[in-house]
Amino acid sequence: MEKPLCPETTYTDLPFDVYARTCPSRETLEHVTGRWGSLTVSALREGPCRFNELRRRVDGVSEKMLSQTLHALERDGIVSRDAQPTNPPRVDYELTPLGREVADRLLSLIHFVEGSMPEVLAARESYDGSRGGR
Amino acid sequence: MEKPLCPETTYTDLPFDVYARTCPSRETLEHVTGRWGSLTVSALREGPCRFNELRRRVDGVSEKMLSQTLHALERDGIVSRDAQPTNPPRVDYELTPLGREVADRLLSLIHFVEGSMPEVLAARESYDGSRGGR
DNA sequence: CAGCATCCAAGCGGATACTG
DNA sequence: CAGTATCCGCTTGGATGCTG
């Protein structure tokens, strides 16, 4: 590792172009791995889904966050949006081919972590135990 | 997908046991994919590393955040800590076998996203272009 | 149904100062 | 060197109300 890893700038006030020259992939990575991003991408890996159905699949997400998450993912080319101008409106979201590849790698990580929970929980007990009440 | 995906509780005030029954892997996943977690795990995939060296490798991380991140990862059994009681103190951090497996899957995702940046950037231009200045 | 706009509490995360 | 403790601004993200 020659050059240091770099952080993203979601919380900084760097102009976007400065940031983009620095570490452009961080932002997309965060959209995907973020709190709601990972759940949304996972849910969409099951197939296309409408907005409110997605809200139900991604338990606990607020309208605002789901909307925000979907916009970010759509902008990054991970998710595509198909809006029918009917009444009532119907909008379907689905993963793009790129999104599907991202989802597969993400799910591989998620499933591995889920499968490792017994080890993780054991590690936690050991960690917490070896220092009384911390 | 039968049961809905569930969110974690880093930002909520649920008692831990309530959360644990709900979706225990979320927390660990966030430690790994989080802002500094992913960079820290990536850096450690290169080999063992001391605290301040890690700070340099993970560019932009504050002492507080690195410390916090390492504690969380250590508690989850992703990272191991080896402290020599010398003077000056020397502490080496390294990935556990579990951590290495997690890191490989995480890096697979990261590298894929990085390699896809041209497509992502193109998608962004297209998205931004199709709606004037947004 | 599918969203946007606004308000506001909570806690993330940086800066600083201090310890062993 | 390897951290911990404290302060505090700013972002995150939930709740509410409104639109087409």
Side-chain angles (χ1 to χ4, degrees), chain B residues 20 33 36 40 54 59-60 65 95 111 126:
Chain B
T33 60
W36 303 115
T40 303
L54 215 38
D59 191 47
M65 282 301 105
L95 291 179
H111 290 148
S126 155

Side-chain angles (χ1 to χ4, degrees), chain B residues 30-68:
Chain B
E30 295 229 332
H31 293 158
V32 171
T33 60
R35 172 127 84 144
W36 303 115
S38 61
L39 295 174
T40 303
V41 169
S42 297
L44 285 174
R45 180 72 257 221
E46 309 275 320
C49 198
R50 300 177 60 178
F51 188 84
N52 278 306
E53 192 189 340
L54 215 38
R55 267 198 79 185
R56 264 168 265 126
R57 291 226 271 223
V58 181
D59 191 47
V61 71
S62 68
E63 224 171 70
K64 177 186 170 184
M65 282 301 105
L66 181 56
S67 179
Q68 208 169 94

Side-chain angles (χ1 to χ4, degrees), chain A:
Chain A
M1 180 176 304
E2 281 305 298
K3 46 189 180 174
L5 295 158
C6 61
E8 33 51 55
T9 59
T10 305
Y11 300 92
T12 78
D13 50 3
L14 280 177
F16 179 75
D17 59 337
V18 171
Y19 161 64
R21 273 180 277 118
T22 317
C23 193
S25 64
R26 285 263 86 208
E27 198 181 16
T28 298
L29 191 63
E30 294 230 331
H31 293 158
V32 171
T33 60
R35 173 126 86 143
W36 303 115
S38 61
L39 296 174
T40 303
V41 168
S42 297
L44 285 174
R45 181 71 257 220
E46 309 276 321
C49 198
R50 301 177 59 178
F51 189 83
N52 277 305
E53 192 189 342
L54 214 39
R55 268 197 79 185
R56 263 168 266 126
R57 292 225 270 221
V58 181
D59 191 45
V61 71
S62 68
E63 220 174 73
K64 178 185 171 182
M65 283 302 103
L66 181 56
S67 179
Q68 208 168 94
T69 300
L70 286 169
H71 277 310
L73 293 174
E74 188 195 351
R75 198 171 96 98
D76 286 348
I78 308 282
V79 160
S80 66
R81 205 184 103 110
D82 174 31
Q84 256 109 19
T86 60
N87 193 311
R90 177 194 175 95
V91 181
D92 284 277
Y93 291 91
E94 94 183 283
L95 292 179
T96 62
L98 177 65
R100 246 168 272 132
E101 293 208 71
V102 168
D104 288 341
R105 285 164 173 83
L106 178 64
L107 284 169
S108 162
L109 174 63
I110 291 178
H111 290 148
F112 181 80
V113 169
E114 283 177 348
S116 304
M117 286 317 287
E119 284 160 85
V120 169
L121 261 13
R124 300 232 259 242
E125 272 193 54
S126 153
Y127 181 92
D128 294 343
S130 72
R131 39 175 66 197
R134 196 262 174 256

Side-chain angles (χ1 to χ4, degrees), chain B residues 3-4 14 16 26 29 68 72 77 82-83 92 100-101 125:
Chain B
K3 47 190 179 171
L14 278 177
F16 179 74
R26 287 262 84 210
L29 191 62
Q68 208 169 94
D82 174 31
D92 283 277
R100 247 167 272 134
E101 294 208 69
E125 272 193 53

